[in-house]
Amino acid sequence: MITVIAGTNRQGSRTKQVAERYFELISSMTDEECKFLALEDLSENFIHSMMYEEDNQNKDIAEKQDEYFTPAHKLVFVVPEYNGSFPGIFKMFIDAISIRNYKENFQGKKVALIGVASGRGGNLRGMDHLTTSLNYLKMNIYPNRLPIALIEKVMDKKGQFTNELIKLELQKHAEGFLLF
């Protein structure tokens, strides 16, 4: 199973739109089961002081973990640039699912990274930071990270890419990740 995750809880984000386009693309390229998870769909109360105890894991997080994360052997993280890195909510999600089935959730899984930014870097720095954390978790990072810069200029307000080069890059990225 391949899971595509939109790594922000911001409602109606460009990140979710990019993740949806990637999910549609990769789903059309494989017979393998593909799932989509947007962090904006998480319950708002999963962060609490007792969240690091397995018995106190938020039920919504446990359900998302069991459906989207644990059974996946490949994951695609689409992450926006927040303050020169990736969103804290994405790190909190990783932390929240690390208390149960740690090895099954992380070790040996293949991960593709896509950065989204209004600026010209396409969240390269955030993908670097995230790569460091994922390496610690013993995940295998697809080396072709895809930065999508100047998102407002390459995607319309309806969430469709208007730039043919970006469409081609997404296609090549998905093809490569499926072979990874």
Side-chain angles (χ1 to χ4, degrees), residues 4-21:
V4 177
I5 298 177
T8 179
N9 62 342
R10 183 175 287 175
Q11 296 291 316
S13 69
R14 294 286 188 161
T15 298
K16 182 179 179 185
Q17 293 173 332
V18 171
E20 288 170 335
R21 298 299 79 75

Side-chain angles (χ1 to χ4, degrees), residues 73 75 106-112 134-135 137-143 177 180:
H73 72 282
L75 299 150
F106 304 110
Q107 293 183 9
K109 292 197 180 190
K110 296 177 179 180
V111 178
L134 299 177
N135 284 333
L137 296 170
K138 298 184 174 139
M139 299 179 95
N140 298 312
I141 313 305
Y142 178 51
F177 186 57
F180 179 63

